[in-house]
Amino acid sequence: MGRVWDDVVGTQPPPTSPVVWVTGLVALVLVAVPVTWSIGRHVVTIAHEGSHGVAALLSGRRLAGIRLHSDTSGLTVSRGRPTGPGMVATAAAGYVGPGLLGLGAAYLLRERHALAVLWLAVLLLGLLLLQIRNFYGLYAVLVAGLGVFAVSWWADEQLQSWVAYAGTWFLLLAAPRPVLELQAQRRRGRARTSDADTLARLTRVPGLVWVGVFLLVTVGCLVLGAGWLLARAR
């Protein structure tokens, strides 16, 4: 635990500018190419459902469990008032969660805390694992958590920095895509129970407006986070 704490509070030298650009390019390929996106989309779902769970707990609701499915869908169940600010916050957190997580990671990288990014990811995945209620969800979160833990514990400092940057780039770049996919599904009438439509019923604000809010937040996180990552490069 002493070593982990030293890693979290310590600082690491920032990577060179080519490394920052290359990790960003790798993340962009993962998001843009259909084959790699079908795999990377699971990471976004983990962040999405985890954000629902955190928002539910912070707003005073009781988290009943999270399920992740092999088709990259997920479900977070919480108990409490079916309306009100707590339910609105819980429903709104999912699509903006990955972008906000990426922004937080970018801030830590700007402050030269690459290992803190990795160990916080391990911590969050470990806490999420306690709330998973289906086998595939256990498998997905466990694989992700063990992968990040292995890099955090055994990899050299250079590789750890590269992974932290690549993961941060991925969250920032990936966050807007599910929002665009959501609106495409809504246009075809296939997303009547989506977060945007749930929020529309709760607030009487049209679902399209909520989609716009999701997109504005995720793109804003991408622009700000990318600026922080590029500014820190040597």
Side-chain angles (χ1 to χ4, degrees), residues 41-122:
R41 184 69 167 76
H42 292 280
V43 176
V44 180
T45 301
I46 290 173
H48 178 113
E49 299 303 332
S51 298
H52 278 313
V54 170
L57 292 174
L58 291 178
S59 62
R61 298 179 63 80
R62 187 159 62 89
L63 188 58
I66 296 173
R67 301 174 71 88
L68 305 172
H69 305 129
S70 59
D71 63 355
T72 74
S73 64
L75 177 66
T76 298
V77 178
S78 63
R79 293 182 180 152
R81 288 184 56 195
T83 59
M87 189 61 201
V88 171
T90 300
Y95 279 98
V96 301
L100 293 174
L101 286 171
L103 185 63
Y107 174 80
L108 289 174
L109 291 176
R110 189 189 72 169
E111 301 301 314
R112 301 192 301 167
H113 293 297
L115 280 172
V117 171
L118 297 179
W119 282 116
L120 285 173
V122 172

Side-chain angles (χ1 to χ4, degrees), residues 149-186:
F149 175 82
V151 172
S152 305
W153 189 259
W154 286 296
D156 60 43
E157 191 174 84
Q158 187 178 52
L159 179 58
Q160 290 169 339
S161 180
W162 292 359
V163 171
Y165 270 81
T168 301
W169 273 119
F170 178 79
L171 285 174
L172 292 171
L173 290 165
R177 179 163 179 175
V179 180
L180 298 176
E181 294 174 345
L182 167 64
Q183 183 54 29
Q185 292 176 343
R186 293 183 73 251

